[in-house]
Amino acid sequence: MTAEMFPKEKTIDLRKKHIGPSCKVFFSHDPIKIVRAKGQYMYDENGVRYLDCINNVAHVGHSHPMVVKAGAEQMELLNTNSRFLHDNLVQYAQRLQATLPEKLSVCYFVNSGSEANDLALRLAWEYTGHKDVITLDNAYHGHVSSLINISPYKFHQLANAEQSKSVHVALSPDLYRGNYRQDHPDPATAYADDVNNLIQKAHEKGHKVAAFIAESLQSCGGQVIPPAGYFQKVAQHVHQAGGLFIADEVQVGFGRVGTHFWAFQLQEDFVPDIVTMGKPIGNGHPMSCVVTTREVAEAFKNSGMEYFNTFGGNPVSCAIGLAVLDVIEKEDLQGNALRVGGYLMRLLEQQKEKHPLVGDIRGRGLFVGAELVRDRVKLTPATAEAQDIIYKLKEQHILLSADGPHRNVLKFKPPMCFSEEDADMVVEKIDQILTDIEKALGLQMPSTVHTENGSHKRNVQPEENGCHHSNGIGHSRDTSQHHASQQNKRLRP
Amino acid sequence: MTAEMFPKEKTIDLRKKHIGPSCKVFFSHDPIKIVRAKGQYMYDENGVRYLDCINNVAHVGHSHPMVVKAGAEQMELLNTNSRFLHDNLVQYAQRLQATLPEKLSVCYFVNSGSEANDLALRLAWEYTGHKDVITLDNAYHGHVSSLINISPYKFHQLANAEQSKSVHVALSPDLYRGNYRQDHPDPATAYADDVNNLIQKAHEKGHKVAAFIAESLQSCGGQVIPPAGYFQKVAQHVHQAGGLFIADEVQVGFGRVGTHFWAFQLQEDFVPDIVTMGKPIGNGHPMSCVVTTREVAEAFKNSGMEYFNTFGGNPVSCAIGLAVLDVIEKEDLQGNALRVGGYLMRLLEQQKEKHPLVGDIRGRGLFVGAELVRDRVKLTPATAEAQDIIYKLKEQHILLSADGPHRNVLKFKPPMCFSEEDADMVVEKIDQILTDIEKALGLQMPSTVHTENGSHKRNVQPEENGCHHSNGIGHSRDTSQHHASQQNKRLRP
């Protein structure tokens, strides 16, 4: 297999001709052609090595030999649907269950995070007999039509967005930029009360709530780490209304947060009713899972409708999933996420003390965000600057992205084998670029801010991740590209 | 990798414990454990070989070495998302496009037939600005919530099915059992007029039609081959209403029909606006594709919403897709489908002449159905007998299934390497079983029927396929199991 078949220009031409124009590339003005990858490194057609800080799907490292071997061996043997008994399926379900609270015991294997979240909604609708869904502002839960409906991150992109009457958007529990911030005495209760208000309003209209859905750490939506106790309080309100709590772990699961295997476990003793998994689960292989309780599973069955997923739970996907679990354990990648993530956070905190543009550093394990602001009091998003950094890092062969509602949060979600040396390298480059930008803008560290913000040690840290509009991807609603180019003109006099 | 980890009983126990009870196995009373497969054969944990007449997903044969090699080699090299340029993606899109009419030139790669059909709906909604969808009775288009809505095959399973007001169910263009049959002077126009009536009724209610969706040959829905000219006439009506025509090729594409690569091409010079692909596309690897026109793709882009699919179009999926196309070509599997499918049809036609229970034989290529009836005039479905045959074949190590709204159609959709010897073997066994059943029932070949039906050489032949309730799968709404066991009592005095 040749690594490159066409010259890059030809690849770009063919892509324009045959791939849907809604499918964007990173760095649209000068996209990257990647032909191979290993661990946390990707290589272009000329052999240039890129440090990968963004591919959370290549969870245990790109092209991990144990995962490749498991997949290849099972492909040779058998790949068929789950209507036949197979040990990989049940062994994998058993292994996944062992990472979860006991009551989350029943698995449905599907092919993508989108299929998982759609099924989670179907489970909730069927179990509760209710229709309405509460979702968080700026949330992203997938690309199928039912999930666009509950993804403000997506439906806000539409010119004439028409929000479904059965979808209610709750405040994002963002302590940096949200309605209730670090100085609030009890933000968990305040944000949970907002959910309860939505429930009451739905009831007044004769509606009933089937589910509250949230990423355990909100990713695309602004790298939000909910305050401690928030999920428990929300779950109380939602359960009281007869609804279910769906924890979307598609981006944040499988040990990335370092201290726990699942990000919902950051909320002490909290157990959701349904958990959805995705991206990292197969290290790039298309697979995904929904886990729920016996009660919910039996109610779904009692609807009378069979559930069959052609590819879901096939022996190859399960072999790959098992290998990913093995590697996480064998290489202590959860431990690595904790150590290296902590190290990266400390390096970034130093940047915050040095650079006025760095407004907030937040994260858990290898899920880290650095929010850039032009003004630490007004929190004016430094969107153009974030884009500028992303592009300059790319020129220096580092892949990073920016996301959040203002596209001003630098997002780290690297393969879990990311090292302290990698962290040193990327932060050193960011330091240089920030210095240049701030010099050009005439920005200086205000001494007041240093005291005011720097001394506050917060208990809750928002985090980071990466979804869609990340890396210089041109998207029509987004004006950041435009800003960035204007900004560049200003930066380079 | 050991082929078997647990004793079969343990596998069954773990499955009951950890896999959603809505996910059914084949032959639920005595399910089969398959540990390896090759070509058109599957092997259980004791090495017993089963002839596989049903796995249309293992299109070029189970575990085909060229497909396995392509997947394994690309996994070793790189597996990442389509935000990076990659030659596999564009080459694969180019190769798929070359199989299609020129105007179908823009691809979206996704992970399953369900994701493909959901995206097709999104494309149609966005392009037309309309909401309503016309679907065929008994249709099945996928398991995500938007598709359950347009799948009567599924939503009829629900106890309290509530049909969406924006979904309209058209008559299935079934010439054997439908409203307009072989004796109708112009069934294509009659069935298309039914679609037009639905359009007019929708308009009267102030609704507008976004799309008509149909499998190019209806599979789960009753092995229906639409009469010649039907699609063209439907497309005229739908286009006049501003809607699009979506051809679902998930089950029937990739050369299975023998004479053409795509089943919609059986309708002369017909070109749909959107084509969806799935199951056989990756020989079991989870992948899928939507292809549409430049106009539809641009309209979707102009909505302002990016489309990103985490796994869709990754280099491994594309390498596997390319290998599948290569094997189809290299081994002339489309030609084999034509030859062996024709041979199988002739054998089954002989069964029809011999056995009163065989009411209709229909098919194209290796997509063949045999509809069983207790009475060739009343067309009373021989549901229990079909189940009985399926179970008895299983005892003789042949995997076949029954589907259609009455679960009385024996469905052949084997891997495309199926041979004439395989056809001989399965038809010989069916002959024996039918002989036994008819003897027990006291059924004899009525001479009148022979003249009445046997002499009619139809121009259009319905076909066969296989979806959900196929093989002795227990499902609550279905009474066929119950009938089958009652029937068995009668059969074995």
Side-chain angles (χ1 to χ4, degrees):
Chain A
M1 179 151 311
T2 52
E4 199 189 19
M5 162 162 289
F6 305 117
K8 187 170 173 178
E9 279 314 309
K10 175 80 174 168
T11 310
I12 294 172
D13 284 353
L14 282 172
R15 183 159 173 140
K16 277 185 189 149
K17 200 168 166 195
H18 290 307
I19 303 297
S22 313
C23 307
K24 305 298 187 185
V25 289
F26 283 137
F27 309 108
S28 51
H29 304 307
D30 180 25
I32 305 176
K33 187 169 184 177
I34 294 292
V35 299
R36 66 189 178 90
K38 206 79 193 172
Q40 66 272 48
Y41 303 108
M42 304 185 90
Y43 300 84
D44 74 9
E45 76 282 15
N46 300 312
V48 172
R49 190 181 90 168
Y50 287 80
L51 173 63
D52 180 359
C53 306
I54 52 174
N55 274 298
N56 55 342
V57 172
H59 193 63
V60 300
H62 287 280
S63 298
H64 194 289
M66 274 178 69
V67 178
V68 173
K69 185 166 180 276
E73 284 182 354
Q74 186 57 53
M75 278 171 77
E76 264 182 59
L77 218 50
L78 176 69
N79 188 9
T80 193
N81 66 65
S82 62
R83 289 243 169 85
F84 301 98
L85 297 174
H86 199 280
D87 289 340
N88 286 6
L89 177 73
V90 297
Q91 194 201 357
Y92 186 43
Q94 197 182 29
R95 285 280 299 278
L96 276 180
Q97 205 282 312
T99 68
L100 287 160
E102 203 173 344
K103 80 168 205 180
L104 291 167
S105 65
V106 184
C107 302
Y108 299 83
F109 290 101
V110 298
N111 305 301
S112 67
S114 290
E115 284 194 0
N117 281 332
D118 182 87
L119 178 56
L121 292 181
R122 289 186 59 200
L123 290 168
W125 286 326
E126 199 59 48
Y127 177 79
T128 64
H130 303 171
K131 286 274 175 218
D132 288 22
V133 177
I134 299 176
T135 186
L136 292 182
D137 201 12
N138 307 315
Y140 175 65
H141 294 292
H143 54 71
V144 300
S145 47
S146 62
L147 303 176
I148 301 289
N149 281 343
I150 61 163
S151 296
Y153 183 85
K154 294 297 280 185
F155 68 63
H156 284 163
Q157 287 175 41
L158 288 176
N160 45 1
E162 188 193 330
Q163 195 183 312
S164 161
K165 287 187 179 74
S166 58
V167 175
H168 313 281
V169 179
L171 292 172
S172 168
D174 177 351
L175 297 175
Y176 181 66
R177 186 181 280 288
N179 280 25
Y180 313 113
R181 300 184 184 179
Q182 300 152 47
D183 55 357
H184 190 282
D186 186 0
T189 300
Y191 281 119
D193 283 351
D194 175 61
V195 173
N196 197 30
N197 285 339
L198 291 177
I199 294 172
Q200 301 318 321
K201 278 185 196 162
H203 287 177
E204 284 163 20
K205 288 182 207 152
H207 288 218
K208 285 179 172 177
V209 172
F212 170 86
I213 184 169
E215 285 184 278
S216 299
L217 304 174
Q218 210 178 8
S219 53
C220 306
Q223 294 68 29
V224 176
I225 297 194
Y230 173 67
F231 279 4
Q232 291 88 329
K233 289 175 206 292
V234 168
Q236 270 174 15
H237 296 313
V238 173
H239 287 157
Q240 196 156 16
L244 297 181
F245 192 116
I246 303 169
D248 177 340
E249 292 270 342
V250 170
Q251 300 235 16
V252 296
F254 289 91
R256 179 163 293 278
V257 300
T259 48
H260 300 78
F261 199 78
W262 301 106
F264 73 76
Q265 294 169 322
L266 291 167
Q267 300 259 331
E268 213 171 331
D269 294 330
F270 169 70
V271 182
D273 302 295
I274 301 174
V275 171
T276 59
M277 308 166 182
K279 297 186 187 293
I281 189 171
N283 218 44
H285 185 81
M287 57 186 285
S288 171
C289 187
V290 181
V291 189
T292 191
T293 62
R294 173 58 55 189
E295 290 69 32
V296 172
E298 291 295 336
F300 189 57
K301 180 197 163 199
N302 292 339
S303 74
M305 196 186 287
E306 193 204 336
Y307 183 78
F308 175 65
N309 189 303
T310 300
F311 305 128
N314 71 71
V316 175
S317 297
C318 293
I320 286 175
L322 281 164
V324 168
L325 293 179
D326 285 342
V327 177
I328 293 172
E329 209 173 296
K330 199 177 155 209
E331 301 184 1
D332 186 25
L333 292 177
Q334 186 179 324
N336 191 64
L338 187 63
R339 284 185 298 275
V340 177
Y343 181 76
L344 175 62
M345 289 274 288
R346 289 193 293 279
L347 292 182
L348 289 170
E349 285 288 351
Q350 288 166 11
Q351 295 296 304
K352 183 177 154 191
E353 287 177 22
K354 187 174 168 186
H355 295 290
L357 276 171
V358 182
D360 193 35
I361 302 299
R362 50 202 192 224
R364 293 294 170 99
L366 278 172
F367 198 73
V368 176
E371 179 153 359
L372 304 186
V373 291
R374 295 213 184 161
D375 183 312
R376 287 192 179 184
V377 176
K378 293 183 196 153
L379 305 188
T380 324
T383 304
E385 291 79 358
Q387 292 299 317
D388 201 31
I389 291 170
I390 295 305
Y391 268 86
K392 287 196 169 120
L393 282 174
K394 180 235 180 188
E395 285 165 23
Q396 298 183 63
H397 309 133
I398 292 176
L399 301 172
L400 195 69
S401 62
D403 211 336
H406 306 286
R407 318 283 179 236
N408 67 323
V409 183
L410 303 180
K411 308 165 32 163
F412 298 80
K413 51 183 173 72
M416 298 269 284
C417 49
F418 204 71
S419 71
E420 295 191 353
E421 292 70 35
D422 298 326
D424 282 328
M425 178 159 70
V426 60
V427 176
E428 192 192 310
K429 306 271 191 204
I430 289 173
D431 188 8
Q432 289 164 6
I433 298 168
L434 279 172
T435 304
D436 291 348
I437 292 177
E438 287 168 355
K439 197 173 159 192
L441 291 173
L443 280 177
Q444 280 186 332
M445 201 68 186
S447 55
T448 51
V449 169
H450 204 233
T451 325
E452 188 191 342
N453 267 15
S455 61
H456 276 217
K457 256 300 177 232
R458 287 188 283 138
N459 286 329
V460 279
Q461 304 150 313
E463 110 292 4
E464 118 61 42
N465 79 0
C467 315
H468 275 206
H469 295 282
S470 347
N471 256 357
I473 291 171
H475 43 91
S476 41
R477 176 203 174 212
D478 182 14
T479 52
S480 59
Q481 295 263 349
H482 189 58
H483 285 165
S485 60
Q486 289 184 319
Q487 185 61 35
N488 284 345
K489 281 179 201 151
R490 261 178 288 153
L491 289 178
R492 298 191 193 95
Chain B
M1 178 152 311
T2 51
E4 199 189 20
M5 163 163 287
F6 304 117
K8 187 169 174 179
E9 280 313 309
K10 174 81 175 168
T11 309
I12 293 172
D13 284 352
L14 282 172
R15 183 159 172 140
K16 278 185 189 148
K17 198 168 168 196
H18 291 306
I19 303 297
S22 313
C23 307
K24 304 297 188 188
V25 288
F26 282 136
F27 309 107
S28 51
H29 304 307
D30 180 25
I32 305 176
K33 186 169 184 176
I34 294 292
V35 299
R36 66 188 177 90
K38 206 79 191 171
Q40 64 274 46
Y41 304 107
M42 304 185 90
Y43 300 85
D44 75 8
E45 76 280 15
N46 300 313
V48 173
R49 191 182 88 167
Y50 286 81
L51 173 63
D52 180 0
C53 306
I54 51 173
N55 274 297
N56 55 343
V57 173
H59 192 64
V60 301
H62 287 280
S63 299
H64 194 289
M66 275 179 67
V67 177
V68 173
K69 185 165 180 273
E73 284 183 354
Q74 186 57 53
M75 279 172 78
E76 263 182 58
L77 219 50
L78 175 69
N79 188 9
T80 192
N81 67 63
S82 62
R83 289 245 169 84
F84 300 98
L85 297 174
H86 199 281
D87 289 341
N88 286 9
L89 176 72
V90 298
Q91 194 201 357
Y92 185 44
Q94 197 181 30
R95 284 280 298 278
L96 275 181
Q97 204 284 310
T99 68
L100 286 160
E102 202 173 344
K103 80 167 205 180
L104 292 167
S105 64
V106 184
C107 303
Y108 300 83
F109 291 102
V110 298
N111 305 301
S112 68
S114 290
E115 284 196 0
N117 281 333
D118 182 87
L119 178 56
L121 292 182
R122 289 187 59 200
L123 290 168
W125 286 326
E126 199 59 48
Y127 177 79
T128 63
H130 303 171
K131 287 275 174 217
D132 287 22
V133 178
I134 299 175
T135 188
L136 293 183
D137 200 14
N138 306 316
Y140 174 65
H141 294 291
H143 55 70
V144 301
S145 47
S146 61
L147 303 177
I148 300 289
N149 282 343
I150 61 164
S151 296
Y153 183 85
K154 293 299 280 186
F155 67 62
H156 284 163
Q157 287 175 39
L158 288 175
N160 45 0
E162 188 193 330
Q163 195 183 314
S164 162
K165 287 189 180 71
S166 57
V167 175
H168 313 281
V169 180
L171 292 173
S172 169
D174 178 350
L175 297 175
Y176 181 67
R177 185 182 282 285
N179 280 28
Y180 313 112
R181 302 185 183 177
Q182 301 152 47
D183 55 357
H184 189 282
D186 186 1
T189 300
Y191 281 118
D193 283 350
D194 175 61
V195 172
N196 197 32
N197 284 341
L198 291 176
I199 293 172
Q200 301 318 320
K201 279 186 195 160
H203 287 178
E204 283 162 20
K205 288 182 206 151
H207 288 220
K208 286 178 171 177
V209 172
F212 170 86
I213 185 169
E215 286 184 279
S216 299
L217 304 174
Q218 210 177 10
S219 53
C220 305
Q223 296 68 29
V224 176
I225 295 191
Y230 172 67
F231 279 5
Q232 291 88 328
K233 289 176 207 290
V234 167
Q236 271 175 15
H237 297 313
V238 173
H239 287 157
Q240 196 156 16
L244 298 180
F245 193 114
I246 303 169
D248 177 340
E249 291 271 342
V250 169
Q251 300 235 17
V252 295
F254 290 91
R256 179 164 292 277
V257 299
T259 48
H260 301 78
F261 199 78
W262 301 106
F264 72 78
Q265 294 170 323
L266 291 167
Q267 300 259 330
E268 212 172 332
D269 294 330
F270 169 70
V271 182
D273 303 295
I274 301 174
V275 171
T276 59
M277 307 166 183
K279 296 186 189 292
I281 189 171
N283 218 44
H285 185 82
M287 58 186 285
S288 171
C289 187
V290 181
V291 188
T292 189
T293 63
R294 173 60 53 189
E295 291 67 35
V296 172
E298 292 295 335
F300 189 58
K301 180 197 163 201
N302 292 338
S303 74
M305 195 186 288
E306 194 203 335
Y307 183 79
F308 176 65
N309 189 304
T310 300
F311 304 128
N314 72 71
V316 174
S317 297
C318 292
I320 286 174
L322 281 164
V324 168
L325 293 179
D326 285 342
V327 176
I328 293 173
E329 210 174 297
K330 200 178 155 208
E331 302 184 0
D332 186 25
L333 293 178
Q334 186 180 323
N336 191 65
L338 186 64
R339 283 184 298 275
V340 177
Y343 181 76
L344 175 62
M345 289 273 289
R346 288 192 295 278
L347 293 182
L348 290 170
E349 285 289 351
Q350 289 165 13
Q351 294 298 304
K352 183 177 152 190
E353 288 176 22
K354 185 173 170 187
H355 294 290
L357 276 172
V358 182
D360 193 36
I361 301 299
R362 51 204 190 224
R364 294 294 171 100
L366 278 172
F367 198 73
V368 176
E371 180 153 359
L372 305 187
V373 291
R374 295 214 184 160
D375 182 313
R376 285 191 181 185
V377 177
K378 294 184 195 155
L379 306 187
T380 323
T383 304
E385 291 80 0
Q387 293 298 318
D388 200 30
I389 291 170
I390 295 306
Y391 269 86
K392 287 195 169 123
L393 284 173
K394 180 232 178 188
E395 285 165 22
Q396 298 182 62
H397 310 133
I398 293 177
L399 302 172
L400 195 68
S401 61
D403 210 337
H406 305 287
R407 318 283 179 238
N408 66 324
V409 184
L410 302 180
K411 309 166 27 162
F412 298 81
K413 51 183 172 76
M416 297 269 284
C417 50
F418 203 72
S419 71
E420 295 191 352
E421 292 69 36
D422 298 326
D424 282 329
M425 177 158 70
V426 60
V427 177
E428 193 192 310
K429 306 270 190 204
I430 289 174
D431 188 10
Q432 289 164 7
I433 299 169
L434 279 172
T435 304
D436 291 347
I437 293 177
E438 288 168 356
K439 196 174 162 194
L441 291 173
L443 280 177
Q444 279 184 333
M445 201 67 186
S447 56
T448 50
V449 170
H450 204 235
T451 325
E452 185 190 345
N453 267 16
S455 62
H456 275 221
K457 254 298 175 240
R458 288 188 282 138
N459 287 328
V460 280
Q461 305 151 311
E463 110 293 4
E464 116 60 42
N465 80 359
C467 314
H468 277 203
H469 295 281
S470 346
N471 256 358
I473 291 169
H475 43 92
S476 40
R477 176 203 173 214
D478 182 15
T479 52
S480 59
Q481 294 266 347
H482 188 58
H483 286 166
S485 61
Q486 289 185 321
Q487 185 59 35
N488 284 345
K489 281 179 202 151
R490 259 178 290 154
L491 289 178
R492 299 191 192 92

